[in-house]
Amino acid sequence: MSLLIIVIWDEVRITDNYLKTLKITEIEYFEEKKMISRDLPPSYHRSIFSKVGEGKICLGIESTAHTFGVALTQISDRKGRILCDVKSVYQPPSGSGIHPREASRYHAMNAASVIHKALTMAGVDIKRVDAIAYSAGPGLGPCLRVGAVSARALSSYFKKPLIPVNHALGHIELSIMLTGAIDPVVLLVTGGHTAITAYISGRWKIFGETLDLTIGQLIDQFGREVGFSSPCGAKIEELAKKSSNYIPLPYSVKGNDVSFSGILTAAKNMLKEGKKLEDLCYSLQETAFAMLIEATERALAFSEKKEVLLVGGVAANLRLQEMLKEMCHQHNARPLIVPLRYSGDCGAQISWTGLLAYLSGVRVDIEKSFVHQSWRFDKVLVKWRY
Amino acid sequence: MEILIKRGAEASLYLTEYFGEKVIVKRRDAKPYRHSQLDEEIRKRRTLQEALFLMRARELGVSTPLVYLVDTKRCEIIMQYIEGRRMKEIIDSSNGESIDELCIKLGQCIAKLHRKNFIHGDLTTSNFILSNDGNLVLIDFGLSFFSQRLEDKAVDLHLIKEVLTSAHKNSKKIFAKILEGYGTIAGESMVKVLLNKIKEIERRGRYARAG
């Protein structure tokens, strides 16, 4: 493990002197104790179910923004398994957003111990692992590089194949495994993405997306205006529950696409005019979520699919879940929601998607391994689905 | 008697008779997931707007169904029934047979509207109907608006591009033909400007640079 630490520290150029000045707080871990096991839906390619895949283990490293997460997943007996999921989360100071450099330093310091912790928790020797997956994008460059360097070090030292994984696809694929979705319309709502997508012949195609801010950015930027530290979703939701006074905000659905910048400007202005914060939080949620659900409803009606899957950090919002369920009920579609524990960024999303990719032949040489800060998920050729 | 022919995302369409004439009733039902005040306002506004835009599009030389009655209280429009096939079905079922001419015509329709700063707002292949008497009829003006910004025209075209790539094979060729038709009305230079704008919009979208 010492080798790994040296490589990572070199990457972000943390000098000894710098380290001495840095206040090192105890790492906060969020861990999953019980093993998760789910039957695999039949929509996977047969290579996933073949004997070759039986028992294979993938170690995945997530490192796109706040979260440095490591997880081990396995396919066994036609079931998808999460053996462990450990993460350490960088918390920016109140009122400010994530600083890529600070976050990456935090990740670099914790990387080795998080990886170690994951292996210990799963009770798996690193030699038993079949592939190393890392989040190759999209995300913040400095953070992505910490994950990539960790993965490269493990891959080269222990001679394991290296698998680049698209972070957004990770959200989608893990949620599908956990909910047992077969052929859903997916509403992906995070700090980095707001998109409505469905799988069509080899790719996750985008039916609609935001034309400017993501829903996560809208919530966080409004929250920071008030002085919260991001992620602000939970605080905004709590305040929204205290109000039922609707203040009209710009409702902007353009076909299947949505635009949130008008809401942010209007809400900020109204805050300065002295409108009640609770009312604004409530109205912001009502307006923005209704836009998302309307765009999803259009994609559902157009694609004529029978399931809607809610994925990503904002999926934790109960009001959004409620709206999605009501919409699905009207269209006789099955609403599926990613479990709260796995709605945010986590190692499991990278590990699981990496495992699927590994079993369908995806590899990258260390010399050619990459990180892309803006890697669109609809560019990824998906080989593990029909 | 009303026969439900389509429960869309935005509204329900019913086939019925109105003074002996076959008509479509387009009714915007309440959306239970939306705040009632917001919902009512949106439905009322869109019903009235749609009726106005249906008439305006005709004035610009694009075929649309005739409007017989607008009821903003019940949020419904009674309009002419167009017998024919949706563009979506025509594209899906065209095995090799040429639909180029139809796509050019489709592009011309869009250009005729855009020339007068008329933005349709929901250009999908389901919203074009080839009527049995050979007219290409544009429907569903629920999201239409007027704007002279290039941006809005580009977003309009970007939507049809997105719908084509997400739901149809050969989308590139079909989109090229649509642009060809668009160019015959708006001019080639306009098409180039709009294509650049579309690229800009795609870049601006989340993580748009090709990986």
Side-chain angles (χ1 to χ4, degrees), chain A residues 192 200 205 214 246 251 282 294 297-298 302 319 323 326 374 376, chain B residues 31-35 38 46 88 121-122 126 165-166 206-207 209:
Chain A
I200 294 172
K205 294 208 167 144
T214 66
Y246 182 74
Y251 187 94
Y282 173 72
E294 187 187 340
E297 189 177 16
R298 288 167 172 277
F302 186 79
R319 178 62 185 134
M323 283 165 114
E326 276 172 23
S374 41
R376 264 178 92 82
Chain B
K31 300 272 179 221
Y33 61 80
R34 254 187 323 229
H35 187 277
L38 173 66
R46 287 186 183 166
K88 186 187 179 189
D122 193 13
S126 311
T165 45
S166 60
R206 294 282 92 195
Y207 307 125
R209 200 190 63 204

PDB file of all heavy atoms in Angstrom, chain A residues 192 200 205 214 246 251 282 294 297-298 302 319 323 326 374 376, chain B residues 31-35 38 46 88 121-122 126 165-166 206-207 209:
ATOM      1  N   GLY A 192     -24.258  16.860 -11.435  1.00  0.00           N
ATOM      2  CA  GLY A 192     -23.575  16.982 -12.717  1.00  0.00           C
ATOM      3  C   GLY A 192     -24.455  16.703 -13.912  1.00  0.00           C
ATOM      4  O   GLY A 192     -24.121  17.063 -15.041  1.00  0.00           O
ATOM      5  N   ILE A 200     -31.460   2.332 -26.237  1.00  0.00           N
ATOM      6  CA  ILE A 200     -31.906   1.943 -27.575  1.00  0.00           C
ATOM      7  C   ILE A 200     -30.699   1.474 -28.366  1.00  0.00           C
ATOM      8  O   ILE A 200     -29.731   2.215 -28.527  1.00  0.00           O
ATOM      9  CB  ILE A 200     -32.607   3.107 -28.303  1.00  0.00           C
ATOM     10  CG1 ILE A 200     -33.921   3.461 -27.603  1.00  0.00           C
ATOM     11  CG2 ILE A 200     -32.903   2.740 -29.757  1.00  0.00           C
ATOM     12  CD1 ILE A 200     -34.589   4.693 -28.119  1.00  0.00           C
ATOM     13  N   LYS A 205     -29.607   6.561 -24.984  1.00  0.00           N
ATOM     14  CA  LYS A 205     -29.855   7.767 -25.775  1.00  0.00           C
ATOM     15  C   LYS A 205     -30.577   8.804 -24.936  1.00  0.00           C
ATOM     16  O   LYS A 205     -31.433   8.481 -24.124  1.00  0.00           O
ATOM     17  CB  LYS A 205     -30.658   7.405 -27.012  1.00  0.00           C
ATOM     18  CG  LYS A 205     -29.802   6.513 -27.893  1.00  0.00           C
ATOM     19  CD  LYS A 205     -30.149   6.617 -29.352  1.00  0.00           C
ATOM     20  CE  LYS A 205     -29.055   5.944 -30.168  1.00  0.00           C
ATOM     21  NZ  LYS A 205     -29.546   5.247 -31.350  1.00  0.00           N
ATOM     22  N   THR A 214     -27.928  22.109 -14.034  1.00  0.00           N
ATOM     23  CA  THR A 214     -28.534  20.847 -13.632  1.00  0.00           C
ATOM     24  C   THR A 214     -29.424  21.132 -12.434  1.00  0.00           C
ATOM     25  O   THR A 214     -29.303  22.177 -11.800  1.00  0.00           O
ATOM     26  CB  THR A 214     -27.476  19.812 -13.201  1.00  0.00           C
ATOM     27  OG1 THR A 214     -26.849  20.280 -12.010  1.00  0.00           O
ATOM     28  CG2 THR A 214     -26.433  19.607 -14.273  1.00  0.00           C
ATOM     29  N   TYR A 246     -47.555  28.915  -2.745  1.00  0.00           N
ATOM     30  CA  TYR A 246     -46.867  28.852  -4.027  1.00  0.00           C
ATOM     31  C   TYR A 246     -46.640  30.239  -4.627  1.00  0.00           C
ATOM     32  O   TYR A 246     -47.572  31.000  -4.815  1.00  0.00           O
ATOM     33  CB  TYR A 246     -47.644  27.980  -5.013  1.00  0.00           C
ATOM     34  CG  TYR A 246     -46.939  27.859  -6.338  1.00  0.00           C
ATOM     35  CD1 TYR A 246     -45.806  27.064  -6.466  1.00  0.00           C
ATOM     36  CD2 TYR A 246     -47.380  28.578  -7.450  1.00  0.00           C
ATOM     37  CE1 TYR A 246     -45.127  26.987  -7.660  1.00  0.00           C
ATOM     38  CE2 TYR A 246     -46.703  28.498  -8.649  1.00  0.00           C
ATOM     39  CZ  TYR A 246     -45.580  27.701  -8.749  1.00  0.00           C
ATOM     40  OH  TYR A 246     -44.912  27.625  -9.928  1.00  0.00           O
ATOM     41  N   TYR A 251     -41.532  28.731 -15.536  1.00  0.00           N
ATOM     42  CA  TYR A 251     -41.691  27.308 -15.857  1.00  0.00           C
ATOM     43  C   TYR A 251     -41.263  27.118 -17.290  1.00  0.00           C
ATOM     44  O   TYR A 251     -41.938  27.592 -18.203  1.00  0.00           O
ATOM     45  CB  TYR A 251     -43.162  26.936 -15.651  1.00  0.00           C
ATOM     46  CG  TYR A 251     -43.485  25.471 -15.782  1.00  0.00           C
ATOM     47  CD1 TYR A 251     -43.517  24.646 -14.666  1.00  0.00           C
ATOM     48  CD2 TYR A 251     -43.771  24.908 -17.026  1.00  0.00           C
ATOM     49  CE1 TYR A 251     -43.830  23.301 -14.782  1.00  0.00           C
ATOM     50  CE2 TYR A 251     -44.076  23.559 -17.143  1.00  0.00           C
ATOM     51  CZ  TYR A 251     -44.106  22.764 -16.015  1.00  0.00           C
ATOM     52  OH  TYR A 251     -44.414  21.429 -16.132  1.00  0.00           O
ATOM     53  N   TYR A 282     -40.162  25.942  -1.286  1.00  0.00           N
ATOM     54  CA  TYR A 282     -41.328  25.167  -1.706  1.00  0.00           C
ATOM     55  C   TYR A 282     -41.624  25.405  -3.190  1.00  0.00           C
ATOM     56  O   TYR A 282     -41.797  24.467  -3.967  1.00  0.00           O
ATOM     57  CB  TYR A 282     -42.529  25.566  -0.844  1.00  0.00           C
ATOM     58  CG  TYR A 282     -43.845  24.978  -1.252  1.00  0.00           C
ATOM     59  CD1 TYR A 282     -44.102  23.628  -1.051  1.00  0.00           C
ATOM     60  CD2 TYR A 282     -44.836  25.766  -1.836  1.00  0.00           C
ATOM     61  CE1 TYR A 282     -45.310  23.073  -1.415  1.00  0.00           C
ATOM     62  CE2 TYR A 282     -46.045  25.220  -2.210  1.00  0.00           C
ATOM     63  CZ  TYR A 282     -46.278  23.869  -1.998  1.00  0.00           C
ATOM     64  OH  TYR A 282     -47.476  23.329  -2.367  1.00  0.00           O
ATOM     65  N   GLU A 294     -42.691  16.515 -16.132  1.00  0.00           N
ATOM     66  CA  GLU A 294     -43.377  16.715 -17.417  1.00  0.00           C
ATOM     67  C   GLU A 294     -42.500  16.229 -18.572  1.00  0.00           C
ATOM     68  O   GLU A 294     -42.968  15.538 -19.473  1.00  0.00           O
ATOM     69  CB  GLU A 294     -43.741  18.187 -17.624  1.00  0.00           C
ATOM     70  CG  GLU A 294     -44.599  18.341 -18.872  1.00  0.00           C
ATOM     71  CD  GLU A 294     -44.895  19.778 -19.269  1.00  0.00           C
ATOM     72  OE1 GLU A 294     -44.790  20.676 -18.436  1.00  0.00           O
ATOM     73  OE2 GLU A 294     -45.236  19.976 -20.451  1.00  0.00           O
ATOM     74  N   GLU A 297     -42.491  12.532 -18.535  1.00  0.00           N
ATOM     75  CA  GLU A 297     -43.788  12.050 -19.002  1.00  0.00           C
ATOM     76  C   GLU A 297     -43.826  12.025 -20.539  1.00  0.00           C
ATOM     77  O   GLU A 297     -44.320  11.089 -21.148  1.00  0.00           O
ATOM     78  CB  GLU A 297     -44.889  12.969 -18.450  1.00  0.00           C
ATOM     79  CG  GLU A 297     -46.286  12.459 -18.668  1.00  0.00           C
ATOM     80  CD  GLU A 297     -47.336  13.382 -18.040  1.00  0.00           C
ATOM     81  OE1 GLU A 297     -46.986  14.541 -17.723  1.00  0.00           O
ATOM     82  OE2 GLU A 297     -48.486  12.951 -17.893  1.00  0.00           O
ATOM     83  N   ARG A 298     -43.254  13.073 -21.142  1.00  0.00           N
ATOM     84  CA  ARG A 298     -43.216  13.125 -22.603  1.00  0.00           C
ATOM     85  C   ARG A 298     -42.386  11.986 -23.168  1.00  0.00           C
ATOM     86  O   ARG A 298     -42.782  11.333 -24.134  1.00  0.00           O
ATOM     87  CB  ARG A 298     -42.589  14.438 -23.068  1.00  0.00           C
ATOM     88  CG  ARG A 298     -43.471  15.603 -22.861  1.00  0.00           C
ATOM     89  CD  ARG A 298     -42.715  16.896 -23.035  1.00  0.00           C
ATOM     90  NE  ARG A 298     -43.692  17.939 -23.013  1.00  0.00           N
ATOM     91  CZ  ARG A 298     -44.395  18.300 -24.068  1.00  0.00           C
ATOM     92  NH1 ARG A 298     -44.164  17.753 -25.225  1.00  0.00           N
ATOM     93  NH2 ARG A 298     -45.323  19.217 -23.970  1.00  0.00           N
ATOM     94  N   PHE A 302     -43.702   9.007 -25.498  1.00  0.00           N
ATOM     95  CA  PHE A 302     -43.118   8.855 -26.828  1.00  0.00           C
ATOM     96  C   PHE A 302     -42.483   7.483 -27.004  1.00  0.00           C
ATOM     97  O   PHE A 302     -42.652   6.840 -28.029  1.00  0.00           O
ATOM     98  CB  PHE A 302     -42.078   9.956 -27.066  1.00  0.00           C
ATOM     99  CG  PHE A 302     -41.543   9.957 -28.467  1.00  0.00           C
ATOM    100  CD1 PHE A 302     -42.279  10.524 -29.504  1.00  0.00           C
ATOM    101  CD2 PHE A 302     -40.317   9.378 -28.759  1.00  0.00           C
ATOM    102  CE1 PHE A 302     -41.793  10.511 -30.799  1.00  0.00           C
ATOM    103  CE2 PHE A 302     -39.828   9.363 -30.054  1.00  0.00           C
ATOM    104  CZ  PHE A 302     -40.566   9.932 -31.073  1.00  0.00           C
ATOM    105  N   ARG A 319     -40.394  14.612  -2.321  1.00  0.00           N
ATOM    106  CA  ARG A 319     -41.406  15.287  -3.141  1.00  0.00           C
ATOM    107  C   ARG A 319     -41.247  14.885  -4.610  1.00  0.00           C
ATOM    108  O   ARG A 319     -42.236  14.644  -5.300  1.00  0.00           O
ATOM    109  CB  ARG A 319     -41.266  16.813  -2.970  1.00  0.00           C
ATOM    110  CG  ARG A 319     -42.224  17.641  -3.797  1.00  0.00           C
ATOM    111  CD  ARG A 319     -43.687  17.378  -3.436  1.00  0.00           C
ATOM    112  NE  ARG A 319     -44.571  18.098  -4.321  1.00  0.00           N
ATOM    113  CZ  ARG A 319     -45.658  17.568  -4.903  1.00  0.00           C
ATOM    114  NH1 ARG A 319     -45.987  16.318  -4.663  1.00  0.00           N
ATOM    115  NH2 ARG A 319     -46.405  18.299  -5.689  1.00  0.00           N
ATOM    116  N   MET A 323     -44.049  12.918  -6.888  1.00  0.00           N
ATOM    117  CA  MET A 323     -44.528  13.399  -8.186  1.00  0.00           C
ATOM    118  C   MET A 323     -44.339  12.337  -9.264  1.00  0.00           C
ATOM    119  O   MET A 323     -45.195  12.133 -10.116  1.00  0.00           O
ATOM    120  CB  MET A 323     -43.778  14.672  -8.580  1.00  0.00           C
ATOM    121  CG  MET A 323     -44.249  15.908  -7.841  1.00  0.00           C
ATOM    122  SD  MET A 323     -43.041  17.242  -8.026  1.00  0.00           S
ATOM    123  CE  MET A 323     -43.935  18.403  -8.960  1.00  0.00           C
ATOM    124  N   GLU A 326     -46.997   9.635  -8.931  1.00  0.00           N
ATOM    125  CA  GLU A 326     -48.308  10.074  -9.423  1.00  0.00           C
ATOM    126  C   GLU A 326     -48.361  10.051 -10.940  1.00  0.00           C
ATOM    127  O   GLU A 326     -49.336   9.639 -11.544  1.00  0.00           O
ATOM    128  CB  GLU A 326     -48.620  11.476  -8.894  1.00  0.00           C
ATOM    129  CG  GLU A 326     -49.211  11.457  -7.507  1.00  0.00           C
ATOM    130  CD  GLU A 326     -49.333  12.838  -6.901  1.00  0.00           C
ATOM    131  OE1 GLU A 326     -49.388  13.825  -7.652  1.00  0.00           O
ATOM    132  OE2 GLU A 326     -49.353  12.939  -5.662  1.00  0.00           O
ATOM    133  N   SER A 374     -15.413  15.874 -19.425  1.00  0.00           N
ATOM    134  CA  SER A 374     -16.774  15.968 -19.988  1.00  0.00           C
ATOM    135  C   SER A 374     -17.012  14.816 -20.943  1.00  0.00           C
ATOM    136  O   SER A 374     -16.956  14.993 -22.139  1.00  0.00           O
ATOM    137  CB  SER A 374     -16.956  17.308 -20.692  1.00  0.00           C
ATOM    138  OG  SER A 374     -15.782  17.622 -21.406  1.00  0.00           O
ATOM    139  N   ARG A 376     -19.591  12.418 -22.293  1.00  0.00           N
ATOM    140  CA  ARG A 376     -21.045  12.204 -22.379  1.00  0.00           C
ATOM    141  C   ARG A 376     -21.367  10.718 -22.332  1.00  0.00           C
ATOM    142  O   ARG A 376     -20.720   9.933 -23.015  1.00  0.00           O
ATOM    143  CB  ARG A 376     -21.569  12.791 -23.681  1.00  0.00           C
ATOM    144  CG  ARG A 376     -22.126  14.181 -23.555  1.00  0.00           C
ATOM    145  CD  ARG A 376     -22.554  14.671 -24.904  1.00  0.00           C
ATOM    146  NE  ARG A 376     -23.960  14.369 -25.147  1.00  0.00           N
ATOM    147  CZ  ARG A 376     -24.960  15.113 -24.688  1.00  0.00           C
ATOM    148  NH1 ARG A 376     -24.720  16.179 -23.978  1.00  0.00           N
ATOM    149  NH2 ARG A 376     -26.198  14.800 -24.958  1.00  0.00           N
TER     150      ARG A 376
ATOM    151  N   LYS B  31     -52.923  17.686 -14.042  1.00  0.00           N
ATOM    152  CA  LYS B  31     -51.802  16.815 -13.675  1.00  0.00           C
ATOM    153  C   LYS B  31     -51.729  16.769 -12.155  1.00  0.00           C
ATOM    154  O   LYS B  31     -51.411  17.782 -11.527  1.00  0.00           O
ATOM    155  CB  LYS B  31     -50.488  17.389 -14.209  1.00  0.00           C
ATOM    156  CG  LYS B  31     -50.447  17.541 -15.709  1.00  0.00           C
ATOM    157  CD  LYS B  31     -49.955  16.270 -16.349  1.00  0.00           C
ATOM    158  CE  LYS B  31     -49.943  16.402 -17.858  1.00  0.00           C
ATOM    159  NZ  LYS B  31     -50.417  15.170 -18.506  1.00  0.00           N
ATOM    160  N   PRO B  32     -52.023  15.614 -11.587  1.00  0.00           N
ATOM    161  CA  PRO B  32     -52.063  15.557 -10.121  1.00  0.00           C
ATOM    162  C   PRO B  32     -50.706  15.834  -9.471  1.00  0.00           C
ATOM    163  O   PRO B  32     -50.650  16.212  -8.314  1.00  0.00           O
ATOM    164  CB  PRO B  32     -52.529  14.133  -9.827  1.00  0.00           C
ATOM    165  CG  PRO B  32     -52.275  13.372 -11.063  1.00  0.00           C
ATOM    166  CD  PRO B  32     -52.356  14.339 -12.193  1.00  0.00           C
ATOM    167  N   TYR B  33     -49.613  15.637 -10.219  1.00  0.00           N
ATOM    168  CA  TYR B  33     -48.302  15.841  -9.597  1.00  0.00           C
ATOM    169  C   TYR B  33     -47.933  17.314  -9.500  1.00  0.00           C
ATOM    170  O   TYR B  33     -47.024  17.683  -8.768  1.00  0.00           O
ATOM    171  CB  TYR B  33     -47.211  15.057 -10.344  1.00  0.00           C
ATOM    172  CG  TYR B  33     -47.001  15.430 -11.797  1.00  0.00           C
ATOM    173  CD1 TYR B  33     -46.261  16.542 -12.148  1.00  0.00           C
ATOM    174  CD2 TYR B  33     -47.533  14.645 -12.817  1.00  0.00           C
ATOM    175  CE1 TYR B  33     -46.065  16.881 -13.470  1.00  0.00           C
ATOM    176  CE2 TYR B  33     -47.339  14.974 -14.142  1.00  0.00           C
ATOM    177  CZ  TYR B  33     -46.598  16.087 -14.473  1.00  0.00           C
ATOM    178  OH  TYR B  33     -46.417  16.409 -15.778  1.00  0.00           O
ATOM    179  N   ARG B  34     -48.629  18.164 -10.283  1.00  0.00           N
ATOM    180  CA  ARG B  34     -48.282  19.584 -10.263  1.00  0.00           C
ATOM    181  C   ARG B  34     -49.100  20.336  -9.229  1.00  0.00           C
ATOM    182  O   ARG B  34     -50.256  19.988  -8.988  1.00  0.00           O
ATOM    183  CB  ARG B  34     -48.538  20.195 -11.642  1.00  0.00           C
ATOM    184  CG  ARG B  34     -47.265  20.458 -12.382  1.00  0.00           C
ATOM    185  CD  ARG B  34     -47.382  21.199 -13.683  1.00  0.00           C
ATOM    186  NE  ARG B  34     -48.505  20.959 -14.542  1.00  0.00           N
ATOM    187  CZ  ARG B  34     -48.397  20.715 -15.863  1.00  0.00           C
ATOM    188  NH1 ARG B  34     -47.228  20.646 -16.432  1.00  0.00           N
ATOM    189  NH2 ARG B  34     -49.462  20.567 -16.588  1.00  0.00           N
ATOM    190  N   HIS B  35     -48.530  21.348  -8.648  1.00  0.00           N
ATOM    191  CA  HIS B  35     -49.259  22.226  -7.745  1.00  0.00           C
ATOM    192  C   HIS B  35     -50.468  22.774  -8.487  1.00  0.00           C
ATOM    193  O   HIS B  35     -50.347  23.236  -9.626  1.00  0.00           O
ATOM    194  CB  HIS B  35     -48.349  23.367  -7.293  1.00  0.00           C
ATOM    195  CG  HIS B  35     -48.958  24.216  -6.241  1.00  0.00           C
ATOM    196  ND1 HIS B  35     -49.831  25.231  -6.538  1.00  0.00           N
ATOM    197  CD2 HIS B  35     -48.849  24.206  -4.894  1.00  0.00           C
ATOM    198  CE1 HIS B  35     -50.223  25.808  -5.417  1.00  0.00           C
ATOM    199  NE2 HIS B  35     -49.628  25.209  -4.403  1.00  0.00           N
ATOM    200  N   LEU B  38     -50.285  26.229 -10.201  1.00  0.00           N
ATOM    201  CA  LEU B  38     -49.355  26.188 -11.324  1.00  0.00           C
ATOM    202  C   LEU B  38     -49.970  25.410 -12.481  1.00  0.00           C
ATOM    203  O   LEU B  38     -49.921  25.833 -13.641  1.00  0.00           O
ATOM    204  CB  LEU B  38     -48.061  25.520 -10.850  1.00  0.00           C
ATOM    205  CG  LEU B  38     -46.978  25.215 -11.885  1.00  0.00           C
ATOM    206  CD1 LEU B  38     -46.402  26.494 -12.465  1.00  0.00           C
ATOM    207  CD2 LEU B  38     -45.861  24.390 -11.250  1.00  0.00           C
ATOM    208  N   ARG B  46     -51.765  27.216 -22.162  1.00  0.00           N
ATOM    209  CA  ARG B  46     -51.396  26.412 -23.323  1.00  0.00           C
ATOM    210  C   ARG B  46     -52.574  26.146 -24.245  1.00  0.00           C
ATOM    211  O   ARG B  46     -52.409  26.082 -25.461  1.00  0.00           O
ATOM    212  CB  ARG B  46     -50.769  25.090 -22.860  1.00  0.00           C
ATOM    213  CG  ARG B  46     -49.373  25.288 -22.303  1.00  0.00           C
ATOM    214  CD  ARG B  46     -48.704  23.988 -21.996  1.00  0.00           C
ATOM    215  NE  ARG B  46     -47.394  24.203 -21.386  1.00  0.00           N
ATOM    216  CZ  ARG B  46     -46.702  23.269 -20.769  1.00  0.00           C
ATOM    217  NH1 ARG B  46     -47.180  22.052 -20.692  1.00  0.00           N
ATOM    218  NH2 ARG B  46     -45.517  23.544 -20.252  1.00  0.00           N
ATOM    219  N   LYS B  88     -43.763   9.543 -37.747  1.00  0.00           N
ATOM    220  CA  LYS B  88     -42.994   8.550 -36.977  1.00  0.00           C
ATOM    221  C   LYS B  88     -43.193   7.154 -37.561  1.00  0.00           C
ATOM    222  O   LYS B  88     -42.237   6.417 -37.770  1.00  0.00           O
ATOM    223  CB  LYS B  88     -43.452   8.587 -35.517  1.00  0.00           C
ATOM    224  CG  LYS B  88     -42.647   7.714 -34.592  1.00  0.00           C
ATOM    225  CD  LYS B  88     -43.286   7.677 -33.196  1.00  0.00           C
ATOM    226  CE  LYS B  88     -42.485   6.768 -32.270  1.00  0.00           C
ATOM    227  NZ  LYS B  88     -43.158   6.537 -30.990  1.00  0.00           N
ATOM    228  N   GLY B 121     -41.880  24.557 -30.988  1.00  0.00           N
ATOM    229  CA  GLY B 121     -41.627  24.217 -29.588  1.00  0.00           C
ATOM    230  C   GLY B 121     -41.711  22.731 -29.254  1.00  0.00           C
ATOM    231  O   GLY B 121     -41.282  22.321 -28.189  1.00  0.00           O
ATOM    232  N   ASP B 122     -42.277  21.935 -30.135  1.00  0.00           N
ATOM    233  CA  ASP B 122     -42.352  20.494 -29.860  1.00  0.00           C
ATOM    234  C   ASP B 122     -42.292  19.722 -31.172  1.00  0.00           C
ATOM    235  O   ASP B 122     -43.179  18.944 -31.505  1.00  0.00           O
ATOM    236  CB  ASP B 122     -43.633  20.172 -29.092  1.00  0.00           C
ATOM    237  CG  ASP B 122     -43.622  18.765 -28.515  1.00  0.00           C
ATOM    238  OD1 ASP B 122     -42.536  18.145 -28.492  1.00  0.00           O
ATOM    239  OD2 ASP B 122     -44.688  18.279 -28.107  1.00  0.00           O
ATOM    240  N   SER B 126     -43.816  12.616 -34.298  1.00  0.00           N
ATOM    241  CA  SER B 126     -45.214  12.240 -34.069  1.00  0.00           C
ATOM    242  C   SER B 126     -46.152  13.391 -34.363  1.00  0.00           C
ATOM    243  O   SER B 126     -47.354  13.202 -34.458  1.00  0.00           O
ATOM    244  CB  SER B 126     -45.428  11.843 -32.611  1.00  0.00           C
ATOM    245  OG  SER B 126     -44.472  10.940 -32.202  1.00  0.00           O
ATOM    246  N   THR B 165     -32.539  10.897 -33.517  1.00  0.00           N
ATOM    247  CA  THR B 165     -31.453  10.005 -33.095  1.00  0.00           C
ATOM    248  C   THR B 165     -31.891   9.076 -31.977  1.00  0.00           C
ATOM    249  O   THR B 165     -31.373   7.983 -31.852  1.00  0.00           O
ATOM    250  CB  THR B 165     -30.208  10.782 -32.613  1.00  0.00           C
ATOM    251  OG1 THR B 165     -30.640  11.830 -31.771  1.00  0.00           O
ATOM    252  CG2 THR B 165     -29.414  11.351 -33.745  1.00  0.00           C
ATOM    253  N   SER B 166     -32.849   9.521 -31.158  1.00  0.00           N
ATOM    254  CA  SER B 166     -33.215   8.652 -30.045  1.00  0.00           C
ATOM    255  C   SER B 166     -34.248   7.609 -30.451  1.00  0.00           C
ATOM    256  O   SER B 166     -34.391   6.610 -29.772  1.00  0.00           O
ATOM    257  CB  SER B 166     -33.719   9.461 -28.855  1.00  0.00           C
ATOM    258  OG  SER B 166     -34.846  10.198 -29.204  1.00  0.00           O
ATOM    259  N   ARG B 206     -24.848  19.488 -20.848  1.00  0.00           N
ATOM    260  CA  ARG B 206     -23.952  18.865 -19.874  1.00  0.00           C
ATOM    261  C   ARG B 206     -22.908  18.012 -20.553  1.00  0.00           C
ATOM    262  O   ARG B 206     -23.220  17.143 -21.329  1.00  0.00           O
ATOM    263  CB  ARG B 206     -24.774  18.007 -18.914  1.00  0.00           C
ATOM    264  CG  ARG B 206     -25.695  18.813 -18.063  1.00  0.00           C
ATOM    265  CD  ARG B 206     -24.968  19.474 -16.947  1.00  0.00           C
ATOM    266  NE  ARG B 206     -24.523  20.812 -17.285  1.00  0.00           N
ATOM    267  CZ  ARG B 206     -23.630  21.470 -16.579  1.00  0.00           C
ATOM    268  NH1 ARG B 206     -23.057  20.901 -15.553  1.00  0.00           N
ATOM    269  NH2 ARG B 206     -23.297  22.671 -16.910  1.00  0.00           N
ATOM    270  N   TYR B 207     -21.630  18.235 -20.245  1.00  0.00           N
ATOM    271  CA  TYR B 207     -20.554  17.371 -20.670  1.00  0.00           C
ATOM    272  C   TYR B 207     -20.615  17.018 -22.140  1.00  0.00           C
ATOM    273  O   TYR B 207     -20.588  15.871 -22.528  1.00  0.00           O
ATOM    274  CB  TYR B 207     -20.566  16.084 -19.835  1.00  0.00           C
ATOM    275  CG  TYR B 207     -20.569  16.385 -18.398  1.00  0.00           C
ATOM    276  CD1 TYR B 207     -21.533  15.896 -17.548  1.00  0.00           C
ATOM    277  CD2 TYR B 207     -19.609  17.243 -17.889  1.00  0.00           C
ATOM    278  CE1 TYR B 207     -21.528  16.217 -16.212  1.00  0.00           C
ATOM    279  CE2 TYR B 207     -19.590  17.570 -16.552  1.00  0.00           C
ATOM    280  CZ  TYR B 207     -20.551  17.049 -15.730  1.00  0.00           C
ATOM    281  OH  TYR B 207     -20.543  17.365 -14.424  1.00  0.00           O
ATOM    282  N   ARG B 209     -18.665  17.700 -24.832  1.00  0.00           N
ATOM    283  CA  ARG B 209     -17.571  17.400 -25.735  1.00  0.00           C
ATOM    284  C   ARG B 209     -17.436  15.893 -25.932  1.00  0.00           C
ATOM    285  O   ARG B 209     -17.483  15.135 -24.974  1.00  0.00           O
ATOM    286  CB  ARG B 209     -16.258  17.951 -25.177  1.00  0.00           C
ATOM    287  CG  ARG B 209     -15.196  18.113 -26.232  1.00  0.00           C
ATOM    288  CD  ARG B 209     -13.876  18.421 -25.582  1.00  0.00           C
ATOM    289  NE  ARG B 209     -13.478  17.281 -24.741  1.00  0.00           N
ATOM    290  CZ  ARG B 209     -12.652  17.394 -23.724  1.00  0.00           C
ATOM    291  NH1 ARG B 209     -12.188  18.556 -23.378  1.00  0.00           N
ATOM    292  NH2 ARG B 209     -12.313  16.322 -23.037  1.00  0.00           N
TER     293      ARG B 209
END
